[in-house]
Amino acid sequence: MASSDDDFSMKTMISAGSAFSGDFRVAGGMMVDGDIDGNVEISGNIIIGDKARVRGNIAARSATIRGIVIGDVTAPEGIKLMPTSTVIGDVSTHRLQVEDKVVLHGNCISIPDVERYDQETAMQNQSKEIRNKAFAR
């Protein structure tokens, strides 16, 4: 994963016992130990703690997940799924690290080549749109 300054300095934190509802964007890194019900867009790195629960899509530069995510995770620089993590949704990255005892229920794109990654991601997004339209009827 990246080794920039915000790897270690999380500018935003949702602490344990806190809950947030709604979509939001954060510049820089973020640590989540509480609950989020909404989509999260981070320009830096995100860490989902072991007691954290996120119900929504996550888009970040990189992601380390220890808690529960019900939604898609897109982090081009890397995704780490730690032993306490559960992801019910699709993951998309150039580098994926999956530890023992992880629950991952969804599709996975992990391709180092940027051009192929972009093509596969576009095809997956198109497929999702078609599926969503079919279920909306």
Side-chain angles (χ1 to χ4, degrees), residues 41-61:
E41 187 177 323
I42 307 294
S43 66
N45 308 315
I46 188 167
I47 298 172
I48 307 297
D50 18 352
K51 304 277 189 232
R53 291 176 297 192
V54 177
R55 185 175 17 203
N57 298 326
I58 296 173
R61 185 173 63 205

Side-chain angles (χ1 to χ4, degrees), residues 2-11 29-30 45 47 61:
S3 60
S4 68
D5 291 342
D6 68 348
D7 282 348
F8 302 103
S9 65
M10 296 293 140
K11 296 178 182 175
M30 181 175 185
N45 308 315
I47 298 172
R61 185 173 63 205

Side-chain angles (χ1 to χ4, degrees), residues 74-89:
T74 302
E77 287 192 12
I79 297 174
K80 290 182 182 179
L81 300 178
M82 306 310 283
T84 54
S85 67
T86 297
V87 177
I88 309 297

Side-chain angles (χ1 to χ4, degrees), residues 1-3 7-8 45-50 58 60-69 73-87 91-100 102-104 108 110:
M1 305 243 180
S3 60
D7 282 348
F8 302 103
N45 308 315
I46 188 167
I47 298 172
I48 307 297
D50 18 352
I58 296 173
R61 185 173 63 205
S62 69
T64 300
I65 300 173
R66 292 182 174 92
I68 298 170
V69 176
V73 181
T74 302
E77 287 192 12
I79 297 174
K80 290 182 182 179
L81 300 178
M82 306 310 283
T84 54
S85 67
T86 297
V87 177
V91 295
S92 179
T93 184
H94 293 299
R95 291 180 298 196
L96 178 63
Q97 178 181 335
V98 180
E99 299 291 331
D100 289 341
V102 166
V103 175
L104 173 58
C108 174
S110 179

Side-chain angles (χ1 to χ4, degrees), residues 15-28:
S15 59
S18 299
F20 182 87
S21 181
D23 298 344
F24 64 99
R25 292 184 181 145
V26 174

